[in-house]
Amino acid sequence: MPSEAEVTTPPSQSPRFSERVQRALGDLFLRKAVRFTADRLRDARAKAVVEKPDFDTLRSAGRRIRTETIANLDHHLSTFRSNLERAGGTYHTAADREEAARIVVALAQSRGVKLAVKSKSMISEEIHLNAALEAAGIEPLETDLGEWIVQLAKETPSHLILPAIHKSRAQIRALFEAHAGHPLAEDTKTLAGYARRYLRQRFLVADLGLSGCNFGVAESGSVAIFTNEGNGRLVTTLPRIHVVMMGMERIVPTLADLGTMAELLPRSATGQKLTTYLNILTGPRREAEIDGPDELHVIVLDGGRRRLLGDPELREILHCIRCGACLNVCPVYRQIGGHAYGSVYPGPIGAVLAPSLVPDDPSLIPLPEASSLCGACTEACPVQIPLDSLLVRLRHDAVKAGRVPRLQRLGQRMGAWFLAGPRRFGFAGWIGRKLLRRGSKFGPLGAWSQARDLPPAPDRSFRDQWKGGEV
Ligand code: SF4
Protein backbone atom coordinates (compact mmCIF):
# COMPACT_ATOMS: atom_id res chain seq x y z
CA MET A 1 0.00 0.00 0.00
CA PRO A 2 1.30 3.47 -0.76
CA SER A 3 2.60 5.65 2.02
CA GLU A 4 -0.12 7.34 4.05
CA ALA A 5 1.91 10.52 4.14
CA GLU A 6 1.69 11.03 0.39
CA VAL A 7 -0.91 13.54 -0.58
CA THR A 8 -3.19 13.62 -3.59
CA THR A 9 -4.05 16.83 -5.37
CA PRO A 10 -7.73 17.82 -5.59
CA PRO A 11 -9.44 16.45 -8.70
CA SER A 12 -9.09 18.61 -11.77
CA GLN A 13 -12.19 20.54 -12.80
CA SER A 14 -10.79 21.23 -16.26
CA PRO A 15 -13.36 20.76 -19.03
CA ARG A 16 -10.58 19.25 -21.21
CA PHE A 17 -10.20 15.50 -20.86
CA SER A 18 -6.50 15.63 -21.78
CA GLU A 19 -5.82 18.12 -18.97
CA ARG A 20 -7.72 16.04 -16.44
CA VAL A 21 -5.71 12.98 -17.49
CA GLN A 22 -2.40 14.86 -17.26
CA ARG A 23 -3.25 15.96 -13.76
CA ALA A 24 -4.22 12.44 -12.68
CA LEU A 25 -1.05 10.98 -14.19
CA GLY A 26 1.02 13.48 -12.23
CA ASP A 27 -0.55 12.34 -8.96
CA LEU A 28 1.58 9.38 -7.91
CA PHE A 29 -0.34 8.66 -4.72
CA LEU A 30 -3.64 8.50 -6.57
CA ARG A 31 -2.19 6.10 -9.14
CA LYS A 32 -0.75 3.79 -6.50
CA ALA A 33 -3.87 3.89 -4.33
CA VAL A 34 -6.24 3.15 -7.21
CA ARG A 35 -4.06 0.29 -8.48
CA PHE A 36 -3.68 -1.17 -4.99
CA THR A 37 -7.43 -1.36 -4.33
CA ALA A 38 -8.36 -2.29 -7.90
CA ASP A 39 -5.89 -5.21 -7.65
CA ARG A 40 -7.52 -6.41 -4.45
CA LEU A 41 -11.00 -6.26 -5.96
CA ARG A 42 -9.84 -7.92 -9.19
CA ASP A 43 -8.11 -10.75 -7.27
CA ALA A 44 -11.10 -11.24 -4.96
CA ARG A 45 -13.37 -11.54 -8.00
CA ALA A 46 -11.00 -14.04 -9.65
CA LYS A 47 -11.01 -16.17 -6.46
CA ALA A 48 -14.80 -16.03 -6.21
CA VAL A 49 -15.10 -17.16 -9.83
CA VAL A 50 -12.78 -20.15 -9.23
CA GLU A 51 -14.78 -21.11 -6.13
CA LYS A 52 -18.00 -21.22 -8.15
CA PRO A 53 -17.47 -23.78 -10.91
CA ASP A 54 -20.74 -22.89 -12.63
CA PHE A 55 -19.94 -19.16 -12.72
CA ASP A 56 -20.22 -19.06 -16.51
CA THR A 57 -23.71 -20.56 -16.28
CA LEU A 58 -24.60 -17.89 -13.71
CA ARG A 59 -23.21 -15.20 -16.01
CA SER A 60 -25.25 -16.48 -18.94
CA ALA A 61 -28.36 -16.53 -16.75
CA GLY A 62 -27.64 -12.92 -15.72
CA ARG A 63 -27.26 -11.89 -19.34
CA ARG A 64 -30.52 -13.64 -20.29
CA ILE A 65 -32.40 -11.82 -17.54
CA ARG A 66 -31.01 -8.43 -18.52
CA THR A 67 -31.62 -8.98 -22.24
CA GLU A 68 -35.21 -10.08 -21.71
CA THR A 69 -35.88 -7.23 -19.28
CA ILE A 70 -34.53 -4.51 -21.54
CA ALA A 71 -36.35 -5.97 -24.57
CA ASN A 72 -39.67 -5.65 -22.68
CA LEU A 73 -38.84 -2.74 -20.41
CA ASP A 74 -42.15 -0.88 -20.65
CA HIS A 75 -44.10 -4.00 -19.73
CA HIS A 76 -41.89 -4.66 -16.67
CA LEU A 77 -42.00 -1.02 -15.57
CA SER A 78 -45.76 -1.02 -15.81
CA THR A 79 -45.99 -4.22 -13.71
CA PHE A 80 -43.57 -2.71 -11.20
CA ARG A 81 -45.64 0.44 -10.97
CA SER A 82 -48.94 -1.44 -10.39
CA ASN A 83 -47.44 -3.60 -7.66
CA LEU A 84 -45.61 -0.71 -5.99
CA GLU A 85 -48.85 1.30 -5.86
CA ARG A 86 -50.79 -1.72 -4.60
CA ALA A 87 -48.27 -1.95 -1.74
CA GLY A 88 -48.86 1.74 -0.90
CA GLY A 89 -45.86 3.31 -2.66
CA THR A 90 -45.91 6.27 -5.08
CA TYR A 91 -44.40 6.04 -8.56
CA HIS A 92 -42.90 9.13 -10.23
CA THR A 93 -41.28 9.42 -13.64
CA ALA A 94 -38.57 11.95 -14.50
CA ALA A 95 -37.70 12.69 -18.12
CA ASP A 96 -34.34 14.21 -17.24
CA ARG A 97 -31.94 14.94 -14.40
CA GLU A 98 -33.41 18.34 -13.61
CA GLU A 99 -36.92 16.94 -13.30
CA ALA A 100 -35.74 14.12 -11.01
CA ALA A 101 -34.00 16.61 -8.71
CA ARG A 102 -37.07 18.90 -8.78
CA ILE A 103 -39.33 16.04 -7.67
CA VAL A 104 -37.12 15.23 -4.67
CA VAL A 105 -36.82 18.88 -3.66
CA ALA A 106 -40.59 19.45 -4.00
CA LEU A 107 -41.35 16.36 -1.88
CA ALA A 108 -38.92 17.54 0.79
CA GLN A 109 -40.15 21.15 0.82
CA SER A 110 -43.83 20.23 0.95
CA ARG A 111 -43.15 18.09 4.03
CA GLY A 112 -40.96 20.59 5.86
CA VAL A 113 -37.78 18.49 5.64
CA LYS A 114 -34.60 20.12 6.94
CA LEU A 115 -32.21 17.14 6.93
CA ALA A 116 -32.06 14.29 4.40
CA VAL A 117 -29.87 11.25 5.11
CA LYS A 118 -28.64 9.39 2.05
CA SER A 119 -27.34 5.94 1.35
CA LYS A 120 -25.18 5.37 -1.71
CA SER A 121 -26.88 6.25 -4.98
CA MET A 122 -25.22 6.82 -8.34
CA ILE A 123 -28.48 8.29 -9.67
CA SER A 124 -28.35 11.00 -7.01
CA GLU A 125 -24.86 11.85 -8.31
CA GLU A 126 -26.16 11.80 -11.88
CA ILE A 127 -28.92 14.30 -11.09
CA HIS A 128 -26.64 16.48 -8.87
CA LEU A 129 -29.11 16.09 -6.06
CA ASN A 130 -26.96 17.41 -3.21
CA ALA A 131 -26.52 20.76 -4.94
CA ALA A 132 -30.27 20.98 -5.64
CA LEU A 133 -31.14 20.18 -2.01
CA GLU A 134 -28.60 22.67 -0.65
CA ALA A 135 -29.94 25.38 -2.97
CA ALA A 136 -33.37 24.74 -1.44
CA GLY A 137 -32.02 25.04 2.12
CA ILE A 138 -32.17 21.30 2.85
CA GLU A 139 -29.09 19.57 4.27
CA PRO A 140 -28.13 16.36 2.42
CA LEU A 141 -25.96 14.04 4.51
CA GLU A 142 -24.16 11.08 2.96
CA THR A 143 -24.08 8.13 5.37
CA ASP A 144 -22.11 5.57 3.37
CA LEU A 145 -18.61 6.00 4.83
CA GLY A 146 -16.86 6.47 1.48
CA GLU A 147 -19.56 8.84 0.26
CA TRP A 148 -19.33 10.89 3.47
CA ILE A 149 -15.58 11.18 3.01
CA VAL A 150 -15.95 12.53 -0.54
CA GLN A 151 -18.79 14.82 0.59
CA LEU A 152 -16.53 16.31 3.29
CA ALA A 153 -13.79 16.72 0.66
CA LYS A 154 -16.32 18.42 -1.68
CA GLU A 155 -15.53 15.85 -4.34
CA THR A 156 -17.46 13.25 -6.31
CA PRO A 157 -17.02 9.44 -6.07
CA SER A 158 -14.11 8.05 -8.05
CA HIS A 159 -15.29 4.42 -8.24
CA LEU A 160 -18.76 2.88 -8.62
CA ILE A 161 -18.58 0.94 -5.36
CA LEU A 162 -15.62 2.51 -3.52
CA PRO A 163 -16.18 6.27 -3.75
CA ALA A 164 -13.07 7.21 -1.73
CA ILE A 165 -10.68 4.73 -3.41
CA HIS A 166 -8.25 7.62 -4.04
CA LYS A 167 -8.01 8.85 -0.44
CA SER A 168 -5.30 7.98 2.11
CA ARG A 169 -5.98 7.43 5.80
CA ALA A 170 -4.03 10.63 6.56
CA GLN A 171 -6.32 12.61 4.29
CA ILE A 172 -9.41 11.05 5.85
CA ARG A 173 -8.12 11.91 9.32
CA ALA A 174 -7.55 15.53 8.22
CA LEU A 175 -11.11 15.73 6.89
CA PHE A 176 -12.60 14.23 10.05
CA GLU A 177 -10.51 16.48 12.32
CA ALA A 178 -11.68 19.57 10.45
CA HIS A 179 -15.25 18.32 10.88
CA ALA A 180 -14.86 17.37 14.56
CA GLY A 181 -12.87 20.47 15.53
CA HIS A 182 -10.41 18.35 17.60
CA PRO A 183 -7.53 15.94 16.91
CA LEU A 184 -8.19 12.28 16.11
CA ALA A 185 -5.87 9.27 16.03
CA GLU A 186 -5.11 7.96 12.56
CA ASP A 187 -6.12 4.32 13.07
CA THR A 188 -9.08 2.92 11.18
CA LYS A 189 -11.02 2.03 14.35
CA THR A 190 -10.89 5.62 15.66
CA LEU A 191 -11.83 7.14 12.31
CA ALA A 192 -14.68 4.70 11.63
CA GLY A 193 -15.85 5.13 15.25
CA TYR A 194 -15.99 8.92 14.84
CA ALA A 195 -18.06 8.58 11.66
CA ARG A 196 -20.40 6.06 13.30
CA ARG A 197 -21.05 8.19 16.37
CA TYR A 198 -21.68 11.34 14.37
CA LEU A 199 -23.90 9.74 11.72
CA ARG A 200 -25.97 7.68 14.20
CA GLN A 201 -27.38 10.72 15.97
CA ARG A 202 -28.20 12.40 12.64
CA PHE A 203 -30.27 9.39 11.52
CA LEU A 204 -32.49 9.93 14.54
CA VAL A 205 -33.44 13.49 13.59
CA ALA A 206 -33.68 13.19 9.78
CA ASP A 207 -37.13 13.38 8.19
CA LEU A 208 -36.16 12.13 4.77
CA GLY A 209 -34.20 9.04 3.71
CA LEU A 210 -32.80 9.00 0.17
CA SER A 211 -31.48 5.85 -1.43
CA GLY A 212 -30.63 4.33 -4.76
CA CYS A 213 -31.88 0.96 -5.87
CA ASN A 214 -29.94 -2.00 -7.20
CA PHE A 215 -33.09 -3.51 -8.67
CA GLY A 216 -36.81 -2.89 -8.71
CA VAL A 217 -38.68 -6.21 -8.72
CA ALA A 218 -41.63 -6.03 -11.12
CA GLU A 219 -43.68 -8.94 -9.79
CA SER A 220 -43.81 -7.57 -6.23
CA GLY A 221 -43.21 -3.82 -6.66
CA SER A 222 -40.26 -4.19 -4.26
CA VAL A 223 -37.03 -2.24 -4.21
CA ALA A 224 -33.84 -4.24 -3.54
CA ILE A 225 -30.77 -2.52 -2.10
CA PHE A 226 -27.41 -4.29 -1.68
CA THR A 227 -25.05 -2.72 0.88
CA ASN A 228 -22.06 -3.66 2.98
CA GLU A 229 -22.72 -1.06 5.66
CA GLY A 230 -25.74 -0.90 7.96
CA ASN A 231 -26.50 2.66 6.88
CA GLY A 232 -28.85 1.48 4.12
CA ARG A 233 -31.20 -0.06 6.68
CA LEU A 234 -31.19 3.07 8.84
CA VAL A 235 -31.84 5.35 5.84
CA THR A 236 -34.75 3.23 4.66
CA THR A 237 -36.43 2.60 8.01
CA LEU A 238 -35.89 5.52 10.42
CA PRO A 239 -37.00 8.70 8.57
CA ARG A 240 -40.74 9.16 8.02
CA ILE A 241 -40.31 9.60 4.25
CA HIS A 242 -38.21 7.40 1.98
CA VAL A 243 -37.43 8.38 -1.61
CA VAL A 244 -35.80 5.83 -3.92
CA MET A 245 -34.08 7.01 -7.11
CA MET A 246 -33.58 4.51 -9.90
CA GLY A 247 -32.62 4.47 -13.55
CA MET A 248 -35.51 3.15 -15.64
CA GLU A 249 -33.45 0.10 -16.67
CA ARG A 250 -32.84 -1.17 -13.12
CA ILE A 251 -35.71 -3.65 -13.16
CA VAL A 252 -35.78 -7.44 -12.84
CA PRO A 253 -39.03 -9.26 -13.62
CA THR A 254 -39.20 -11.66 -10.65
CA LEU A 255 -37.82 -12.36 -7.17
CA ALA A 256 -36.16 -15.47 -8.63
CA ASP A 257 -34.30 -13.19 -11.08
CA LEU A 258 -33.27 -11.03 -8.13
CA GLY A 259 -31.81 -14.20 -6.56
CA THR A 260 -29.61 -14.69 -9.64
CA MET A 261 -28.43 -11.09 -9.44
CA ALA A 262 -27.79 -11.44 -5.70
CA GLU A 263 -25.30 -14.19 -6.53
CA LEU A 264 -23.76 -12.49 -9.54
CA LEU A 265 -23.33 -8.87 -8.45
CA PRO A 266 -21.36 -9.21 -5.16
CA ARG A 267 -19.06 -11.86 -6.63
CA SER A 268 -18.24 -9.54 -9.53
CA ALA A 269 -17.96 -6.40 -7.41
CA THR A 270 -15.99 -7.47 -4.33
CA GLY A 271 -15.63 -11.26 -4.58
CA GLN A 272 -18.25 -11.76 -1.83
CA LYS A 273 -20.62 -14.71 -2.11
CA LEU A 274 -23.43 -12.45 -0.91
CA THR A 275 -23.63 -8.81 0.02
CA THR A 276 -23.61 -8.11 3.78
CA TYR A 277 -27.09 -6.55 3.77
CA LEU A 278 -29.71 -7.37 1.17
CA ASN A 279 -32.77 -5.18 1.79
CA ILE A 280 -36.02 -5.89 -0.03
CA LEU A 281 -38.55 -3.13 0.66
CA THR A 282 -42.17 -3.50 -0.37
CA GLY A 283 -44.24 -0.37 0.23
CA PRO A 284 -44.18 1.90 3.29
CA ARG A 285 -44.72 0.72 6.89
CA ARG A 286 -47.96 -1.17 7.43
CA GLU A 287 -50.11 -0.87 10.56
CA ALA A 288 -48.71 -3.79 12.50
CA GLU A 289 -45.09 -3.02 11.65
CA ILE A 290 -42.79 -1.30 14.14
CA ASP A 291 -40.44 0.40 11.70
CA GLY A 292 -40.35 1.75 8.17
CA PRO A 293 -41.35 5.07 6.58
CA ASP A 294 -44.88 6.49 6.43
CA GLU A 295 -44.35 7.30 2.76
CA LEU A 296 -42.35 5.52 0.05
CA HIS A 297 -41.71 7.28 -3.26
CA VAL A 298 -39.87 5.79 -6.22
CA ILE A 299 -38.52 8.16 -8.89
CA VAL A 300 -37.77 6.43 -12.18
CA LEU A 301 -35.30 8.39 -14.33
CA ASP A 302 -35.12 8.31 -18.12
CA GLY A 303 -32.19 10.75 -18.49
CA GLY A 304 -31.35 9.61 -22.06
CA ARG A 305 -31.96 5.90 -21.49
CA ARG A 306 -35.13 5.60 -23.58
CA ARG A 307 -33.27 6.90 -26.62
CA LEU A 308 -30.74 4.08 -26.20
CA LEU A 309 -33.52 1.49 -26.24
CA GLY A 310 -34.00 2.23 -29.94
CA ASP A 311 -30.36 1.48 -30.78
CA PRO A 312 -29.78 -2.29 -31.17
CA GLU A 313 -26.08 -1.98 -30.25
CA LEU A 314 -26.00 0.73 -27.58
CA ARG A 315 -29.03 -0.61 -25.72
CA GLU A 316 -26.69 -3.29 -24.36
CA ILE A 317 -25.19 -0.72 -22.01
CA LEU A 318 -28.57 -0.69 -20.22
CA HIS A 319 -27.83 -4.28 -19.13
CA CYS A 320 -25.19 -2.94 -16.71
CA ILE A 321 -25.66 -3.90 -13.05
CA ARG A 322 -23.02 -1.37 -11.77
CA CYS A 323 -20.66 -3.93 -10.23
CA GLY A 324 -17.49 -1.99 -11.11
CA ALA A 325 -15.60 -5.11 -12.32
CA CYS A 326 -14.73 -3.43 -15.63
CA LEU A 327 -13.05 -0.54 -13.78
CA ASN A 328 -10.81 -2.81 -11.75
CA VAL A 329 -9.30 -4.51 -14.82
CA CYS A 330 -9.10 -1.46 -17.10
CA PRO A 331 -5.47 -0.42 -17.74
CA VAL A 332 -6.62 3.18 -18.27
CA TYR A 333 -8.82 3.51 -15.16
CA ARG A 334 -6.07 1.89 -13.08
CA GLN A 335 -3.70 4.73 -14.08
CA ILE A 336 -5.99 7.76 -13.92
CA GLY A 337 -8.74 6.87 -11.38
CA GLY A 338 -12.30 8.10 -11.69
CA HIS A 339 -12.22 11.90 -11.57
CA ALA A 340 -10.26 12.29 -14.79
CA TYR A 341 -13.27 10.97 -16.73
CA GLY A 342 -15.23 14.04 -15.69
CA SER A 343 -18.35 11.91 -15.52
CA VAL A 344 -20.34 10.38 -12.68
CA TYR A 345 -19.65 6.98 -14.25
CA PRO A 346 -15.92 6.33 -14.75
CA GLY A 347 -13.96 3.49 -16.36
CA PRO A 348 -15.13 1.46 -19.37
CA ILE A 349 -18.79 1.61 -18.33
CA GLY A 350 -18.53 5.39 -18.00
CA ALA A 351 -16.69 5.74 -21.31
CA VAL A 352 -19.70 4.12 -23.01
CA LEU A 353 -22.60 5.21 -20.81
CA ALA A 354 -21.75 8.87 -20.17
CA PRO A 355 -21.44 10.03 -23.82
CA SER A 356 -24.40 7.84 -24.79
CA LEU A 357 -26.69 9.41 -22.19
CA VAL A 358 -25.54 12.98 -22.86
CA PRO A 359 -24.21 12.99 -26.45
CA ASP A 360 -24.12 16.80 -26.65
CA ASP A 361 -21.70 17.30 -23.74
CA PRO A 362 -18.37 18.15 -25.42
CA SER A 363 -16.38 17.18 -22.31
CA LEU A 364 -17.64 13.57 -22.62
CA ILE A 365 -16.98 13.11 -26.36
CA PRO A 366 -13.33 11.96 -25.92
CA LEU A 367 -14.17 9.31 -23.29
CA PRO A 368 -14.41 6.35 -25.73
CA GLU A 369 -10.76 7.09 -26.61
CA ALA A 370 -9.81 6.27 -23.00
CA SER A 371 -9.31 2.60 -23.76
CA SER A 372 -6.59 0.37 -25.13
CA LEU A 373 -9.37 -1.90 -26.52
CA CYS A 374 -7.68 -4.84 -24.80
CA GLY A 375 -11.09 -6.36 -24.05
CA ALA A 376 -10.40 -7.00 -20.34
CA CYS A 377 -13.59 -5.10 -19.45
CA THR A 378 -15.74 -7.28 -21.69
CA GLU A 379 -14.19 -10.40 -20.22
CA ALA A 380 -14.86 -9.24 -16.65
CA CYS A 381 -18.43 -8.05 -17.21
CA PRO A 382 -20.86 -10.38 -15.40
CA VAL A 383 -23.64 -9.72 -17.91
CA GLN A 384 -21.34 -9.98 -20.94
CA ILE A 385 -21.74 -6.44 -22.27
CA PRO A 386 -19.40 -6.12 -25.30
CA LEU A 387 -17.81 -2.95 -23.91
CA ASP A 388 -14.86 -2.91 -26.31
CA SER A 389 -17.15 -3.15 -29.37
CA LEU A 390 -19.34 -0.36 -27.99
CA LEU A 391 -16.27 1.84 -27.48
CA VAL A 392 -15.31 1.30 -31.14
CA ARG A 393 -18.89 2.06 -32.19
CA LEU A 394 -18.82 5.38 -30.30
CA ARG A 395 -15.47 6.26 -31.87
CA HIS A 396 -17.03 5.64 -35.31
CA ASP A 397 -19.99 7.85 -34.38
CA ALA A 398 -17.68 10.67 -33.27
CA VAL A 399 -15.69 10.51 -36.52
CA LYS A 400 -18.84 10.37 -38.66
CA ALA A 401 -20.29 13.36 -36.84
CA GLY A 402 -17.03 15.33 -37.28
CA ARG A 403 -16.63 15.60 -33.52
CA VAL A 404 -12.95 14.65 -33.30
CA PRO A 405 -10.16 17.28 -33.34
CA ARG A 406 -8.94 18.37 -36.80
CA LEU A 407 -5.43 16.98 -36.25
CA GLN A 408 -6.84 13.58 -35.31
CA ARG A 409 -9.08 13.59 -38.40
CA LEU A 410 -6.11 14.46 -40.57
CA GLY A 411 -4.08 11.60 -39.04
CA GLN A 412 -6.95 9.16 -39.63
CA ARG A 413 -7.26 10.26 -43.27
CA MET A 414 -3.53 9.91 -43.79
CA GLY A 415 -3.63 6.47 -42.17
CA ALA A 416 -6.46 5.38 -44.47
CA TRP A 417 -4.55 6.67 -47.53
CA PHE A 418 -1.33 4.85 -46.59
CA LEU A 419 -3.15 1.59 -45.88
CA ALA A 420 -5.05 1.65 -49.19
CA GLY A 421 -2.34 -0.09 -51.31
CA PRO A 422 1.00 -1.98 -51.01
CA ARG A 423 3.10 0.82 -52.58
CA ARG A 424 1.66 3.43 -50.26
CA PHE A 425 2.17 1.10 -47.29
CA GLY A 426 5.81 0.58 -48.31
CA PHE A 427 6.26 4.34 -48.59
CA ALA A 428 4.81 4.80 -45.08
CA GLY A 429 7.30 2.22 -43.77
CA TRP A 430 10.18 4.12 -45.42
CA ILE A 431 9.07 7.38 -43.77
CA GLY A 432 8.60 5.61 -40.44
CA ARG A 433 12.14 4.19 -40.50
CA LYS A 434 13.57 7.63 -41.32
CA LEU A 435 11.70 9.19 -38.40
CA LEU A 436 12.71 6.43 -36.01
CA ARG A 437 16.34 6.92 -36.89
CA ARG A 438 16.05 10.56 -35.84
CA GLY A 439 14.76 9.35 -32.47
CA SER A 440 11.18 9.33 -31.29
CA LYS A 441 11.39 12.15 -28.77
CA PHE A 442 10.25 14.88 -31.14
CA GLY A 443 7.17 16.30 -32.81
CA PRO A 444 3.81 14.73 -32.14
CA LEU A 445 5.47 11.57 -30.81
CA GLY A 446 7.40 13.52 -28.20
CA ALA A 447 4.89 13.31 -25.36
CA TRP A 448 3.81 9.79 -26.28
CA SER A 449 7.37 8.50 -26.26
CA GLN A 450 8.47 10.11 -23.01
CA ALA A 451 7.88 6.90 -21.10
CA ARG A 452 8.41 4.46 -23.97
CA ASP A 453 11.57 3.29 -25.72
CA LEU A 454 10.99 2.27 -29.29
CA PRO A 455 13.20 -0.40 -30.89
CA PRO A 456 15.98 0.82 -33.21
CA ALA A 457 14.87 1.22 -36.83
CA PRO A 458 16.05 -1.62 -39.13
CA ASP A 459 18.15 -0.67 -42.19
CA ARG A 460 15.87 -2.53 -44.58
CA SER A 461 12.12 -3.07 -44.52
CA PHE A 462 10.60 -6.42 -43.65
CA ARG A 463 9.38 -6.76 -47.25
CA ASP A 464 12.88 -6.23 -48.64
CA GLN A 465 14.26 -8.76 -46.19
CA TRP A 466 11.49 -11.20 -47.17
CA LYS A 467 12.26 -10.79 -50.85
CA GLY A 468 15.95 -11.38 -50.17
CA GLY A 469 15.15 -14.59 -48.30
CA GLU A 470 16.59 -13.22 -45.04
CA VAL A 471 13.43 -13.89 -43.00
S1 SF4 B 1 -20.38 -2.77 -17.60
FE1 SF4 B 1 -20.39 -4.85 -16.75
S2 SF4 B 1 -18.49 -4.95 -15.53
FE2 SF4 B 1 -18.88 -2.77 -15.91
S3 SF4 B 1 -20.04 -2.05 -14.13
FE3 SF4 B 1 -21.56 -2.68 -15.70
S4 SF4 B 1 -22.03 -4.83 -15.23
FE4 SF4 B 1 -20.15 -4.33 -14.12
Side-chain angles (χ1 to χ4, degrees), residues 160 317 320-327 349 377 380-383 385 387:
L160 290 187
I317 204 62
C320 175
I321 58 173
R322 306 285 192 274
C323 69
C326 56
L327 278 62
I349 171 64
C377 49
C381 179
V383 286
I385 299 172
L387 288 157

Side-chain angles (χ1 to χ4, degrees), residues 309-346:
L309 284 174
D311 186 312
E313 282 180 289
L314 285 179
R315 71 191 295 170
E316 290 234 25
I317 204 62
L318 299 178
H319 296 182
C320 175
I321 58 173
R322 306 285 192 274
C323 69
C326 56
L327 278 62
N328 304 330
V329 296
C330 175
V332 176
Y333 176 84
R334 290 160 59 84
Q335 291 294 335
I336 62 175
H339 290 143
Y341 288 81
S343 136
V344 169
Y345 302 102

